[in-house]
Protein backbone atom coordinates (compact mmCIF):
# COMPACT_ATOMS: atom_id res chain seq x y z
CA UNK A 1 0.00 0.00 0.00
CA UNK A 2 1.24 3.47 -0.85
CA UNK A 3 2.12 5.79 1.95
CA UNK A 4 0.47 9.18 2.16
CA UNK A 5 3.71 10.88 1.05
CA UNK A 6 3.85 8.78 -2.11
CA UNK A 7 0.19 9.49 -2.82
CA UNK A 8 0.78 13.21 -2.34
CA UNK A 9 3.75 13.08 -4.69
CA UNK A 10 1.67 11.31 -7.35
CA UNK A 11 -1.12 13.90 -7.05
CA UNK A 12 1.36 16.76 -7.32
CA UNK A 13 2.96 15.12 -10.35
CA UNK A 14 -0.41 14.66 -12.05
CA UNK A 15 -1.35 18.29 -11.37
CA UNK A 16 2.01 19.43 -12.77
CA UNK A 17 1.50 17.40 -15.96
CA UNK A 18 -2.02 18.78 -16.33
CA UNK A 19 -0.75 22.36 -15.93
CA UNK A 20 1.98 21.78 -18.52
CA UNK A 21 -0.59 20.50 -20.98
CA UNK A 22 -2.76 23.56 -20.37
CA UNK A 23 0.20 25.86 -20.89
CA UNK A 24 1.09 24.31 -24.25
CA UNK A 25 -2.55 24.31 -25.31
CA UNK A 26 -3.04 28.02 -24.55
CA UNK A 27 0.42 29.36 -25.48
CA UNK A 28 -0.53 29.81 -29.16
CA UNK A 29 -3.68 31.68 -28.15
CA UNK A 30 -1.66 33.96 -25.90
CA UNK A 31 0.78 34.67 -28.77
CA UNK A 32 -2.13 35.52 -31.08
CA UNK A 33 -3.49 38.03 -28.55
CA UNK A 34 -0.02 39.56 -28.21
CA UNK A 35 0.33 39.82 -32.02
CA UNK A 36 -3.03 41.59 -32.21
CA UNK A 37 -1.84 44.06 -29.60
CA UNK A 38 1.39 44.64 -31.51
CA UNK A 39 -0.50 45.30 -34.75
CA UNK A 40 -2.77 47.81 -33.01
CA UNK A 41 0.19 49.55 -31.36
CA UNK A 42 2.12 49.78 -34.65
CA UNK A 43 -0.95 51.25 -36.35
CA UNK A 44 -1.35 53.86 -33.58
CA UNK A 45 2.35 54.75 -33.65
CA UNK A 46 2.19 55.06 -37.44
CA UNK A 47 -0.81 57.40 -37.23
CA UNK A 48 0.91 59.53 -34.56
CA UNK A 49 4.11 59.63 -36.65
CA UNK A 50 2.22 60.76 -39.75
CA UNK A 51 0.37 63.39 -37.70
CA UNK A 52 3.72 64.60 -36.29
CA UNK A 53 5.04 64.93 -39.86
CA UNK A 54 1.91 66.82 -40.90
CA UNK A 55 2.21 69.16 -37.90
CA UNK A 56 5.98 69.74 -38.04
CA UNK A 57 7.08 68.94 -41.59
CA UNK A 58 9.35 65.98 -40.83
CA UNK A 59 9.29 62.61 -39.14
CA UNK A 60 10.29 62.50 -35.47
CA UNK A 61 13.86 61.31 -34.96
CA UNK A 62 12.84 59.01 -32.11
CA UNK A 63 9.70 57.58 -30.62
CA UNK A 64 9.97 59.80 -27.53
CA UNK A 65 9.09 62.82 -29.68
CA UNK A 66 5.63 61.28 -30.10
CA UNK A 67 4.86 61.76 -26.39
CA UNK A 68 2.43 64.66 -27.08
CA UNK A 69 0.30 62.23 -29.13
CA UNK A 70 0.06 59.57 -26.42
CA UNK A 71 -0.68 59.52 -22.69
CA UNK A 72 1.96 56.79 -22.46
CA UNK A 73 4.19 55.80 -25.37
CA UNK A 74 3.20 52.23 -26.25
CA UNK A 75 5.52 49.36 -25.46
CA UNK A 76 5.20 45.82 -26.74
CA UNK A 77 3.21 43.22 -24.76
CA UNK A 78 6.46 42.05 -23.13
CA UNK A 79 7.23 45.55 -21.78
CA UNK A 80 9.99 46.47 -24.22
CA UNK A 81 10.08 49.54 -26.45
CA UNK A 82 9.29 49.16 -30.13
CA UNK A 83 12.28 49.55 -32.44
CA UNK A 84 11.88 52.90 -34.22
CA UNK A 85 14.19 53.62 -37.16
CA UNK A 86 14.15 56.77 -39.29
CA UNK A 87 15.69 56.88 -42.74
CA UNK A 88 15.71 59.46 -45.51
CA UNK A 89 11.97 60.07 -45.74
CA UNK A 90 10.83 56.77 -44.22
CA UNK A 91 10.15 55.24 -40.82
CA UNK A 92 10.30 51.62 -39.77
CA UNK A 93 8.67 50.23 -36.62
CA UNK A 94 9.52 46.74 -35.37
CA UNK A 95 8.58 44.32 -32.66
CA UNK A 96 10.89 41.31 -32.49
CA UNK A 97 9.53 39.47 -29.46
CA UNK A 98 6.72 37.47 -31.02
CA UNK A 99 7.34 34.29 -32.99
CA UNK A 100 7.07 36.39 -36.15
CA UNK A 101 8.79 39.76 -36.43
CA UNK A 102 6.17 42.48 -36.89
CA UNK A 103 7.30 45.33 -39.16
CA UNK A 104 5.53 48.50 -40.27
CA UNK A 105 7.44 50.62 -42.80
CA UNK A 106 6.03 53.76 -44.35
CA UNK A 107 7.00 56.99 -46.07
CA UNK A 108 8.91 57.32 -49.32
CA UNK A 109 11.51 54.63 -49.77
Amino acid sequence: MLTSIKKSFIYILLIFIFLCLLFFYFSDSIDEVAKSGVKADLKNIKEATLQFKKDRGSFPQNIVQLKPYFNIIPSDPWGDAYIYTVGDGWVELKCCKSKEVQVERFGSE
Side-chain angles (χ1 to χ4, degrees):
M1 190 180 275
L2 293 175
T3 65
S4 62
I5 294 174
K6 287 181 181 179
K7 286 181 183 178
S8 298
F9 178 76
I10 290 172
Y11 289 133
I12 291 171
L13 184 63
L14 289 173
I15 290 170
F16 176 76
I17 291 170
F18 177 71
L19 291 174
C20 287
L21 292 172
L22 281 177
F23 173 77
F24 287 115
Y25 179 77
F26 287 111
S27 63
D28 286 337
S29 299
I30 292 168
D31 193 52
E32 287 299 317
V33 169
K35 283 196 292 188
S36 296
V38 167
K39 287 179 184 179
D41 283 348
L42 293 181
K43 179 179 180 259
N44 291 335
I45 295 169
K46 177 183 177 179
E47 289 173 0
T49 302
L50 293 172
Q51 186 62 46
F52 183 99
K53 182 178 182 188
K54 183 179 176 183
D55 294 344
R56 302 193 184 173
S58 64
F59 288 121
Q61 292 304 303
N62 57 58
I63 201 166
V64 176
Q65 289 181 301
L66 295 174
K67 177 70 174 133
Y69 300 90
F70 295 102
N71 292 330
I72 298 171
I73 295 174
S75 59
D76 69 23
W78 300 273
D80 295 323
Y82 288 103
I83 299 168
Y84 181 93
T85 308
V86 180
D88 188 23
W90 56 266
V91 173
E92 183 175 84
L93 302 167
K94 280 187 188 178
C95 177
C96 300
K97 288 281 184 145
S98 66
K99 290 179 183 176
E100 302 168 15
V101 174
Q102 301 289 320
V103 178
E104 179 74 38
R105 189 172 179 147
F106 53 94
S108 61
E109 302 189 32

